[in-house]
Amino acid sequence: MVFYVIRRILQAIPVLIGTTFLIYFLVFAMPGNPVQALFGDKTPNPALLAELEKQYHLNEPFIVQYLYYLRDVVTGNFGVSFSGQSVNDVLARTFPVTARLALMAVVIEMVVGVTIGLVAGLRKGKLFDLSSLVISLLFLSVPIFVICFIGQFFLGFKLGWFRTTVGADASIPNLILPAIVLASSLVAINIRLTRGSVIETLNNDFVRTAYSKGLSRRRVIPVHVLRNSLIPVTTQLGADFGILLVGATVTEGIFNVPGVGNTLYQAIIRGERPTVVSFVTVMVLLYLVVNIIIDLIYAVLDPRIRYVK
């Protein structure tokens, strides 16, 4: 197991370097002077402009700029935005909000999606199964921004169960409605995935053997069927959590959540290139870590999976 983890970490290093290089190139190799764009229509003082370019290494060749950035990332310094804010401080302020929102959405997805998918798989062809397929297809077909507005109108304005916008107070109670909206489309995918996995597992020989040995349905379903059916579901949950950590930009924007997605969008609008590059770099690193953790969970769910040297 230890050798497997080390190997995966070593494999992640070139992925991280290649991804950060591509992101840095796409952001900083674009035409135009990002510092000069901060002054808008005004003509900046040439001396001030030269000083700012020197401060952000914009007067250096592109590859030198990237090496400076890579050095700072290794030391845990993500630089300073053009507006003078430390990117580390911005991350420390916004990431916990997005992490809470992502965790809440994934928990809702896991509980609701796995439960409905399991029951639907066990009742294949019955009314519950057909209804779950129709409802999940409906949620998959509706764009997320439409679900946001529907949730705000009915659960916020009409029923008054939740706040319609989050604002600065991004506490757990205020994040419930955005989490439900985020989880709605993810739950639909999870239902269909769990249902298909359960149906496939029920047809395996080890399930029929378990029944033939006299094991009760109460024992076979959770231990043999559900546990083996959760492997593809776990992959989906891990991918969803990684994607949500990157930032649910549309949902955070509509609900005014001060998280990563909303901040990243605002940074793109303002042309804060250091903020954009640093945020995406951190998100890529987190996504790689989440994928390694998900691979390790496989061995817990299925004892047949072993990690060899």
Side-chain angles (χ1 to χ4, degrees):
M1 181 72 75
V2 176
F3 291 100
Y4 173 79
V5 174
I6 295 175
R7 187 170 72 246
R8 284 300 309 270
I9 292 174
L10 293 176
Q11 291 173 349
I13 292 175
V15 175
L16 182 63
I17 294 175
T19 307
T20 55
F21 179 81
L22 181 61
I23 294 166
Y24 199 90
F25 174 79
L26 291 174
V27 173
F28 278 92
M30 293 187 298
N33 190 327
V35 175
Q36 190 169 5
L38 295 176
F39 296 90
D41 296 333
K42 298 179 181 179
T43 302
N45 185 296
L48 176 61
L49 185 62
E51 180 64 26
L52 289 173
E53 289 177 349
K54 182 179 179 181
Q55 178 182 345
Y56 292 100
H57 307 294
L58 296 176
N59 58 337
E60 303 280 358
F62 169 76
I63 189 64
V64 176
Q65 296 179 38
Y66 174 71
L67 291 177
Y68 273 121
Y69 171 74
L70 207 58
R71 180 202 63 184
D72 292 339
V73 169
V74 172
T75 58
N77 176 22
F78 291 98
V80 179
S81 67
F82 292 151
S83 59
Q85 285 185 302
S86 170
V87 178
N88 290 52
D89 293 340
V90 178
L91 273 169
R93 186 175 66 250
T94 59
F95 178 74
V97 177
T98 297
R100 284 197 298 270
L101 180 61
L103 185 59
M104 292 168 64
V106 169
V107 169
I108 295 172
E109 174 192 5
M110 180 177 63
V111 174
V112 178
V114 171
T115 302
I116 297 178
L118 174 63
V119 176
L122 296 175
R123 296 173 176 269
K124 179 184 177 182
K126 303 292 181 61
L127 179 61
F128 185 89
D129 178 33
L130 298 176
S131 301
S132 65
L133 289 176
V134 172
I135 294 174
S136 61
L137 181 61
L138 176 64
F139 276 100
L140 285 173
S141 304
V142 179
I144 188 66
F145 68 88
V146 176
I147 300 177
C148 288
F149 292 132
I150 292 175
Q152 280 182 324
F153 182 76
F154 287 102
L155 301 181
F157 287 117
K158 287 293 185 181
L159 299 176
W161 291 351
F162 308 102
R163 286 180 55 178
T164 55
T165 57
V166 176
D169 183 16
S171 58
I172 291 179
N174 293 336
L175 291 175
I176 293 178
L177 182 56
I180 292 174
V181 169
L182 275 176
S184 60
S185 59
L186 301 179
V187 164
I189 298 174
N190 204 280
I191 289 173
R192 301 173 79 88
L193 186 61
T194 304
R195 173 188 177 273
S197 184
V198 167
I199 293 174
E200 181 181 356
T201 305
L202 285 171
N203 293 324
N204 286 333
D205 292 337
F206 63 84
V207 175
R208 288 191 287 267
T209 302
Y211 279 122
S212 65
K213 289 168 62 177
L215 295 180
S216 65
R217 184 179 176 86
R218 182 175 297 180
R219 173 71 177 174
V220 172
I221 296 303
V223 176
H224 297 281
V225 177
L226 181 59
R227 184 174 179 178
N228 287 280
S229 300
L230 284 179
I231 294 178
V233 177
T234 304
T235 305
Q236 181 65 37
L237 289 172
D240 290 342
F241 185 62
I243 292 171
L244 292 176
L245 281 178
V246 173
T249 307
V250 175
T251 304
E252 288 188 359
I254 293 175
F255 286 98
N256 194 25
V257 178
V260 171
N262 198 7
T263 305
L264 184 59
Y265 172 73
Q266 296 298 329
I268 295 173
I269 295 298
R270 294 193 301 266
E272 291 282 356
R273 299 186 185 185
T275 305
V276 174
V277 173
S278 298
F279 266 54
V280 176
T281 299
V282 172
M283 297 307 109
V284 170
L285 180 60
L286 288 171
Y287 198 86
L288 292 173
V289 172
V290 168
N291 275 274
I292 294 176
I293 294 174
I294 293 301
D295 285 348
L296 298 179
I297 293 177
Y298 286 164
V300 177
L301 294 174
D302 191 344
R304 296 171 299 176
I305 297 177
R306 291 291 181 265
Y307 299 112
V308 296
K309 299 181 182 179

